C-alpha cells in the first residue's frame, strides 16, 4: 500500500510546545523548533513552496492620561460563508503608562505536493 500522505490540512501536535500544527510543517511556526520526520516527509517538506499570504503588524499603548490598562489579543478565522472556524486568545496582559506592545499576525500558505502557486505578474 502506498503510504504517501495525500490529505491536505492534516494536523499533529508539536512535541515541544503542544500547539496543533500542520503535519507537513518542517519547523513549528509556534516555537520554531525543528521537527523530526521520516526520510520521505523530509524530502517533501524541503521541496515544499511556501509564501506569506498575509502579514499585519500594529502597536498599541495606553490611552493618554490612563495609568494602566489590560488587553487581550484574539485571533479568529472565518470561512467564505462568514462562519467562525477558529477563535483563540493568544495573549493577555497589562500595560503601564509608558509601555506598548506590538502584535504581528502572519499567514503562511503551503501547497502540499510541491505545486507552486501561480503569481500575478
Ligand atoms: Zn512547537
Amino acid at each position: 500500500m502506498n503510504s504517501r500522505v495525500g490529505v491536505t490540512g492534516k494536523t499533529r501536535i508539536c512535541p515541544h510546545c503542544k500547539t496543533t500544527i500542520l503535519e507537513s510543517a518542517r519547523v513549528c511556526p509556534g516555537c520554531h523548533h525543528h521537527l523530526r520526520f521520516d526520510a520521505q516527509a523530509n524530502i517533501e517538506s524541503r521541496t515544499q513552496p511556501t509564501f506569506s499570504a498575509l502579514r499585519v503588524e500594529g502597536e498599541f499603548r495606553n490611552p493618554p492620561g490612563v495609568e494602566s490598562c489590560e488587553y487581550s489579543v484574539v485571533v479568529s478565522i472565518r470561512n467564505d460563508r462568514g462562519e467562525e472556524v477558529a477563535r483563540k486568545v493568544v495573549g493577555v496582559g497589562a500595560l503601564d503608562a509608558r509601555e506598548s506592545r506590538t502584535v504581528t499576525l502572519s499567514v503562511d500558505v503551503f501547497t502540499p505536493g510541491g505545486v507552486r502557486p501561480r503569481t500575478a505578474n
Side-chain angles (χ1 to χ4, degrees):
M1 186 182 274
N2 188 351
S3 63
R4 192 178 180 278
V5 177
V7 180
T8 304
K10 234 178 148 185
T11 60
R12 63 178 179 144
I13 304 297
C14 172
H16 303 286
C17 69
K18 310 301 178 201
T19 299
T20 301
I21 60 172
L22 287 169
E23 199 174 79
S24 59
R26 186 166 50 108
V27 177
C28 173
C31 67
H32 295 141
H33 270 97
H34 285 261
L35 303 161
R36 244 176 278 155
F37 275 101
D38 62 64
Q40 182 60 37
N42 210 357
I43 290 163
E44 284 176 17
S45 68
R46 265 202 297 268
T47 57
Q48 185 180 66
T50 303
F51 68 96
S52 180
L54 176 69
R55 187 182 166 93
V56 180
E57 189 168 281
E59 184 190 23
F60 63 95
R61 55 179 63 246
N62 266 355
V66 176
E67 274 303 299
S68 67
C69 68
E70 295 178 310
Y71 66 88
S72 57
V73 178
V74 181
V75 175
S76 94
I77 304 171
R78 277 197 288 276
N79 64 18
D80 50 12
R81 291 186 300 276
E83 299 157 349
E84 198 168 69
V85 294
R87 181 179 184 85
K88 189 159 190 171
V89 178
V90 292
V92 297
L95 298 176
D96 71 26
R98 289 173 306 189
E99 283 186 304
S100 68
R101 294 287 184 272
T102 300
V103 176
T104 305
L105 169 70
S106 62
V107 179
D108 293 326
V109 176
F110 312 98
T111 53
V115 180
R116 186 170 288 280
R118 255 177 245 144
T119 50
N121 284 331

